[in-house]
Amino acid sequence: MLTIGVLALQGAVQEHLDCLNLLPDIKGIAVKKTAELNTIDALILPGGESTTMGKLLREFNLTPKLTEKIRSGLPVWGTCAGMILLAKNIVDEPNCHLGLMDITVRRNAYGSQLDSFSTTALIPEVSRTPLPLVFIRAPYVEAASPDVKVLSTVADKIVAVEQRNMLATAFHPELTGNLDFHKYFAAKVRNKN
Ligand SMILES: NC(=O)CC[C@H](N)C(=O)O
């Protein structure tokens, strides 16, 4: 049995927990406190508002322990705002949040017209069939260092990346009813153990 936490300070927490709990041999738990970081095999940083989540991470003093855990190999998956939390650089912003992934992200990158949209894409590492992708005031990755693996691009913009124990998607698999991304993350966690 694997325990996968979902950072539960703000955002689409329950949707990820519901997906995790549909998978065999996975228990999804909400994580709010530093001590809970010791009880999990992996962590999802959900979508929401990165500024708010970053502020709460600092207020609850979660940042140091969380950063240390991820640096020492805790598998982590950031969706949308979660991707922004992981990025080392955020366009037009002086500070990053956790600053762990060698990517530069642009927040709200699709402007007002394409604020929210859905599309499909084939991501061979994750699924044999095209996956539904839901973008909600989404970022994209503007630059990535050479050791970041690009898993998916949509209209020439990087929207899914992986670097060592870290996975990040600009879109929201937890809102699609398709569990392939959660299965992919669970397999990544299992392969590590
Ligand atoms: N759906 C989302 O997570 C939106 C992210 C949000 N626009 C941000 O910048 O943090």
Side-chain angles (χ1 to χ4, degrees):
M1 181 69 111
L2 284 181
T3 304
I4 301 187
V6 181
L7 184 71
L9 302 177
Q10 190 259 338
V13 177
Q14 192 57 46
E15 291 84 346
H16 270 299
L17 289 173
D18 291 346
C19 292
L20 292 171
N21 288 323
L22 286 170
L23 297 181
D25 301 323
I26 304 272
K27 190 169 89 176
I29 63 160
V31 168
K32 286 195 172 118
K33 297 189 189 120
T34 311
E36 288 161 344
L37 293 173
N38 292 324
T39 68
I40 53 174
D41 298 300
L43 182 67
I44 293 177
L45 307 174
E49 191 54 48
S50 55
T51 330
T52 309
M53 264 191 265
K55 190 165 166 260
L56 293 172
L57 276 174
R58 288 186 290 277
E59 259 169 38
F60 296 153
N61 199 29
L62 273 157
T63 310
K65 179 81 177 176
L66 181 54
T67 310
E68 179 210 307
K69 280 271 174 191
I70 299 172
R71 271 195 216 285
S72 57
L74 179 76
V76 66
W77 171 21
T79 52
C80 202
M83 171 191 256
I84 298 166
L85 292 181
L86 286 172
K88 275 197 185 160
N89 300 296
I90 306 171
V91 173
D92 293 335
E93 291 190 16
N95 302 312
C96 62
H97 299 284
L98 299 172
L100 292 165
M101 237 181 156
D102 291 311
I103 53 173
T104 299
V105 295
R106 180 177 287 278
R107 294 180 63 202
N108 304 320
Y110 293 93
S112 54
Q113 250 187 334
L114 278 178
D115 228 352
S116 300
F117 64 99
S118 44
T119 184
T120 56
L122 183 66
I123 308 179
E125 286 85 349
V126 178
S127 178
R128 266 184 238 142
T129 52
L131 290 166
L133 309 184
V134 172
F135 293 81
I136 303 169
R137 298 183 60 232
Y140 57 61
V141 176
E142 207 158 88
S145 84
D147 68 320
V148 171
K149 182 173 180 184
V150 175
L151 289 177
S152 180
T153 56
V154 168
D156 292 333
K157 304 297 184 200
I158 300 170
V159 292
V161 284
E162 197 163 19
Q163 185 180 24
R164 300 185 299 273
N165 54 321
M166 298 175 283
L167 172 69
T169 55
F171 46 85
H172 288 264
E174 78 283 9
L175 301 180
T176 62
N178 180 305
L179 293 174
D180 286 347
F181 242 103
H182 290 80
K183 289 181 191 160
Y184 178 72
F185 183 56
K188 186 176 166 70
V189 180
R190 279 206 181 89
N191 289 341
K192 181 223 160 210
N193 289 338

